[in-house]
Structures are given as C-alpha cells and as structure tokens.
Amino acid sequence: MGPKSIRILLVEDNAGDVRLTQEAFKDAKVHLDLYIASDGVEAMDFLHRRGPHAESPRPDLILLDLNLPRKDGREVLMEIKTDPWLKTIPVVVLTTSGSEEDIERSYELYANCYISKPVDMEGFLSVVRNIDDFWLSAVKLPREKQR
Amino acid sequence: MQTANSNAPAIRILLVEDNPGDVRLTQEAFRDAKVHLEMHVAVDGVEAMEFLFQEGKYAKAPRPDLILLDLNLPRKDGREVLKEIKEHPNLKAIPVVILTTSASDLDIEGSYLLHANCYISKPVDLEGFLTVVRSIDDFWLSVVRLPAGERHGPQVNSNSAG
C-alpha cells in the first residue's frame, strides 16, 4: 500500500479559481485528492455524507471561500467548528474579502487561518503553493477517526 | 517603535517555551524573518497567562499577534493554556501554533479539538528546527492575514493598558 493521499475539500463557487487551485496543486509535494463543493449546502452535504455524497471521504483540510451561494461560507465555518465530528478538520479561509471584520470574525469562529486571495494569477498560485508547503509538509494534521 | 525600513507595525509573537536552548534557537531563526517582529517569551504556563491577561509585571504587555506554544510546560501545562486561550472571548482569535516535541496522535487530536490553529512537531535536529521556524515565518507572517485585535493604525511605541 502506498502513502495515504491527503484529501482536500475546496469550497469555491468561482470556476476559474477552482481550475487555478487544481493547477497549482498539481505540483504539490504530496499525493493529494482535491474535492470540490460549489456552494455552502454542497459543502455540508459532502462533510455529513448526505445524499449523493454518502461515500465521500473525510477531508484532511478544507479550503473555504466565505462568499458562497445557497449557504454562506461564514455559516459553513460555524457549522464545521461547532460539530464535534468535524471541528478538528483544519479550515483555511481562502477568500476575496480582506475586511478586518471578516478576518476577526473568522478567527473567532475558529478558522485555522485566513488568507486573502491575490487578484493576480501568479500571486494566487504562490499562495496555493504556500498552503501546500505549510499545511501538507510542516504541519501535523489530525488523523481520520475510525467510525 | 517605528523602524527606518518598515511602515508596517511590528508583529508581536509570544513564545511559550521552557527550554532555554529552544528559546535561543527560535529567536535566532526569526532574526532573518521577512517582517519586523518582536518576540516575547514566557517560560511556563502561569507566566503565559499573566502575560496575556496583562497581570502583575505584565501590566503593559502587548497583545500578541501570534502565539507559539509548547505543550509540556512547568507550573501550568500547555494544553491547559491552549484551552484557556481558546475559551476566552478576548483571546480566542489569537492564532496559536503548537510547537512541541510530542508527536503523539493523542496530543495532535487533542490540540485541534481545543482549537489550536495548527500543530507542529519540533524536529530534533538543528537544521530541521530552523526550517520549521522559517516555514512558520513564511506562512504566518507573510501569507496569512492575522486578526487585528486591539490595534488601530500604525503602532508607535504603544504602551496603552487594556
């Protein structure tokens, strides 16, 4: 059996940003599986393994945009971090908003860290690589609990 | 205090670490930091909480932007410190990076349950340790947006209490 893949759930409604993120993670240091949820409802269905997501794996890391259709990212963050089963999954807020209020509120809701998405492509790719370098190499992630 | 080469306020780090060798190493590794920073050191869990609550000799201690926390501390354990920080409405938003010798699953899981922002096992070798500290610098002091807390605008030798 080979090394376990790291599973990342990317919660992002912008198709362009999804493609960029997938591209940037292609050069990741570790083998990883990237899952996409395009809105807040889909994100929670994925995490709770509901409906079409009944077989979805538990992610090791979540990248979360705040501004999402159907259910806002701030609500998703709160639900994850108050759920005893989900709360240990590190959540990296990765969003266009740079407002102090969003930053402060996210940390209060126990976001693990907050990153403002750079507007330029090179900056965006660089940030994704930094996430890879730090969260997938330096950090110890919590192990998957056995159900 | 304004520095000649930086318009940005200094980032304040509270290092909670009882091993003087690791304190020195961490200070050394952060000397090459990309940003101007001030490192404050607490050598046990009681001192860490006094610093954060600005008690006694720490009445004028600044609010840190980031906390590096060892788990195994004298007087008050780092796990207890983490819990107190993350349960306190005025402190919970401060990012806490666990930086500890333990690599046990119990400690890793336990720390994330208490809302540690991330967990790093200290490498035993010098080069590894320096690499890890630099990665903390690269990520937390450059890429990440830290919460502003009580800051308002550029800092100029702020000693305001509370």
Side-chain angles (χ1 to χ4, degrees), chain B residues 36-73:
Chain B
H36 182 60
L37 66 92
E38 282 168 24
M39 182 156 302
H40 302 267
V41 180
V43 305
D44 62 52
V46 170
E47 204 174 300
M49 297 317 298
E50 284 172 354
F51 184 98
L52 290 168
F53 287 125
Q54 297 170 319
E55 287 169 2
K57 65 175 180 176
Y58 293 116
K60 299 196 174 176
R63 177 190 168 89
D65 299 297
L66 183 70
I67 299 171
L68 306 182
L69 177 63
D70 191 2
L71 288 183
N72 300 314
L73 298 168

Side-chain angles (χ1 to χ4, degrees), chain B residues 92-129:
Chain B
K92 64 198 283 200
I94 305 174
V96 178
V97 174
I98 302 297
L99 183 58
T100 192
T101 45
S102 167
S104 87
D105 285 341
L106 202 63
D107 277 333
I108 295 168
E109 183 79 15
S111 299
Y112 282 106
L113 269 173
L114 292 173
H115 296 295
N117 294 73
C118 66
Y119 189 109
I120 297 178
S121 290
K122 279 190 223 175
V124 290
D125 64 300
L126 174 63
E127 203 47 56
F129 188 92

Side-chain angles (χ1 to χ4, degrees), chain A residues 81 87-88 90 98 100 103-104 107-108 110-116 130 134-135 138-143 145, chain B residues 86 92-93 95 103 105 108-109 112-113 115-121 135-136 139-140 143-149:
Chain A
K81 289 300 180 179
K87 66 195 278 197
T88 55
E100 289 296 347
I103 297 169
E104 188 73 23
Y107 281 106
E108 279 177 0
Y110 299 120
N112 295 73
C113 66
Y114 188 110
I115 298 176
S116 292
N130 276 302
F134 189 75
W135 285 97
V139 164
K140 291 266 196 262
L141 295 171
R143 279 185 185 255
K145 284 189 224 197
Chain B
K86 289 300 178 180
K92 64 198 283 200
D105 285 341
I108 295 168
E109 183 79 15
Y112 282 106
L113 269 173
H115 296 295
N117 294 73
C118 66
Y119 189 109
I120 297 178
S121 290
S135 74
I136 293 171
F139 192 75
W140 285 98
V143 177
V144 165
R145 299 292 301 269
L146 295 170

